[in-house]
């Protein structure tokens, strides 16, 4: 049995990845500190052959025999990563460092979940992997963006120094069942608000754009990337290139839910990128990957999941993993 370690495996993307790996016969260790993830996301796997959960924080070293390390641990939603920005940056940097050190000891291949945020507020559109980005290094998003940029650097330095086998994906906005209902991201907010009859909160005038990828498409891409033969390393963009304004998204959610598109405008957050769309030419040519699930279908599946859960089982992150000095504030 191939042995996989999935950091952040109790989170949104990580739990879907664990499902995919178990289904194809991997032995899976899901390592998570449950900061934004939940045991609910992996409950169906507990007891499955080859699956085990280990509660652990990636800022501390870890050791186990494995063939594949999938590094997904990191809060991903702006509201979550800004909760304790110092911890967020440390999670990115120390988390990948510990994965790469584990790979040195075991010879495992390391898959690293990077992000479109490495492009910052892009002045090139759509963004190819060669674009070096426009990140504000001292702004409120920097703990995430710069942490992810440094994590990519560590992957490539380990490869150059130690010949480590690495695969780096730059993920663009992804949605689907098991998103944290209170993560503050636009898809989860609009669906939760629409299902409960609240107005949808559109930040700014709603003309900013994003491109939304359904989770199953993304996980299929992860598997292709990890299996890609050497010397392919990425970074490779993965996301759905179909671009929508936030107003268009709100209308689509309302249509699927069968509600009126009631909108309430709020202030646009600082450094909020105005436009984001992946250039997925590399994923298409090198991996033969492209997304298949269109927005209407993906939103319908996500709405069905939101209707099936009790949101109180997904509490907002608590201070249990904060720095002691931050807890004292
Ligand atoms: P998520 O918050 O649902 O999952 C992150 C998981 O990591 C959670 O289970 C959380 O408890 C765990 N975690 C956080 N800090 C940890 C720590 N110090 N030690 C151990 N575990 C820790 O978010 P997600 O959307 O599933 O994102 C997964 C990965 O993909 C992240 O690295 C994120 O940066 C990246 N990503 C996601 C998106 C997206 O649209 N969902 C976009 C770009 C990049
Ligand atoms: N957004 C919004 N209403 C919300 C939450 C977010 O209009 O309730 C906007 C946000 O300002 C951004 C876009 O939706 O322009 C995507 O935000 P999200 O936090 O989902 O992802 P990111 O900014 O990281 O791409």
């Amino acid at each position: 049995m191939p042995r996989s370690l999935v950091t952040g495996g109790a989170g949104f993307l990580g739990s879907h990845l664990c499902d995919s790996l178990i289904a194809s016969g991997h032995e899976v260790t899901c390592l998570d500190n449950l900061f934004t993830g939940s045991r609910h996301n992996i409950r169906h796997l507990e007891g499955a052959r080859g699956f085990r959960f280990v509660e652990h924080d990636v800022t501390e070293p870890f050791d186990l025999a494995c063939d594949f390390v999938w590094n997904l641990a990191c809060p991903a939603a702006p509201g979550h990563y800004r909760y304790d920005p110092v911890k967020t940056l440390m999670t990115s940097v120390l988390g990948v460092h510990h994965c790469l050190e584990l790979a040195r000891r075991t010879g495992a291949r390391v898959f690293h979940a990077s992000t479109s945020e490495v492009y910052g507020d892009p002045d090139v559109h759509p963004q190819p992997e060669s674009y070096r980005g426009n990140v504000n290094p001292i702004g409120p998003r920097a703990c995430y963006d710069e942490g992810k940029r440094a994590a990519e650097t560590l992957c490539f330095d380990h490869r150059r120094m130690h010949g480590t086998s690495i695969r780096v994906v730059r993920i663009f906005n992804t949605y689907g069942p098991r998103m944290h209902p209170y993560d503050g991201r636009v898809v989860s907010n609009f669906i939760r608000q629409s299902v409960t009859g609240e107005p949808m909160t559109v930040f700014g005038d709603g003309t900013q754009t994003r491109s939304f990828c359904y989770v199953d498409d993304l996980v299929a891409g992860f598997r292709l990337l990890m299996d890609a033969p050497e010397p392919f390393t990425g970074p490779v963009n993965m996301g759905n290139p179909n671009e929508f304004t936030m107003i268009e998204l709100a209308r689509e959610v309302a249509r699927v839910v069968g509600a009126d598109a009631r909108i309430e405008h709020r202030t646009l957050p600082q450094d909020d990128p105005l436009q984001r769309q992946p250039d997925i030419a590399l994923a298409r040519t090198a991996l033969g990957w492209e997304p298949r699930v269109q927005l209407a279908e993906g939103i319908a599946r996500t709405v069905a999941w939101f209707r099936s859960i009790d949101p109180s089982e997904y509490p907002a992150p608590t201070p249990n993993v904060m720095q002691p000095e931050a807890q004292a504030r």
Side-chain angles (χ1 to χ4, degrees), residues 7 12 45 50 54 56 61 74 82 88 94 105 111 158 173 176 180 196 242 259 293-294 300 328:
T7 78
F12 161 48
L45 289 174
V54 176
H56 184 82
C74 187
R82 284 202 298 260
T88 298
L94 291 176
R105 297 192 293 276
F111 172 100
H158 267 255
N173 299 58
H180 194 297
T196 56
N242 294 336
V293 180
Q294 295 310 316

Side-chain angles (χ1 to χ4, degrees), residues 117 141 173 186 189 201 203 208 210 246 272 276:
E117 297 286 330
R141 297 174 83 106
N173 299 58
V186 69
N189 271 5
T201 48
F203 298 167
Q208 72 271 35
R210 293 292 187 274
M246 296 310 100
D272 197 273
R276 198 187 292 127

Side-chain angles (χ1 to χ4, degrees), residues 7-15 31-38 41 56-59 71-77 80 87 90-92 112-117 144 148 169-175 178-180 183 185 218 222 321:
T7 78
F12 161 48
L13 298 181
S15 62
L31 186 147
D32 202 297
N33 71 349
L34 300 178
F35 176 48
T36 55
S38 168
N41 289 338
H56 184 82
D57 194 306
V58 293
T59 60
N71 184 39
L72 277 74
C74 187
H80 289 168
K87 174 81 183 189
M90 293 304 169
T91 295
S92 272
H112 175 64
S114 188
T115 171
S116 55
E117 297 286 330
Y144 184 70
K148 290 286 186 179
V169 60
R170 291 181 180 157
I171 305 165
F172 284 66
N173 299 58
T174 300
Y175 70 100
R178 303 186 202 148
M179 294 185 86
H180 194 297
D183 67 6
R185 282 189 267 197
L218 186 75
F222 284 3
V321 292

Side-chain angles (χ1 to χ4, degrees), residues 209-239:
T209 68
R210 293 292 187 274
S211 310
F212 299 101
C213 184
Y214 188 68
V215 61
D216 290 359
D217 281 335
L218 186 75
V219 169
F222 284 3
R223 300 296 308 272
L224 287 171
L225 175 57
M226 188 61 122
D227 289 344
E230 290 285 337
F232 190 77
T233 56
V236 58
N237 289 338
M238 283 190 189

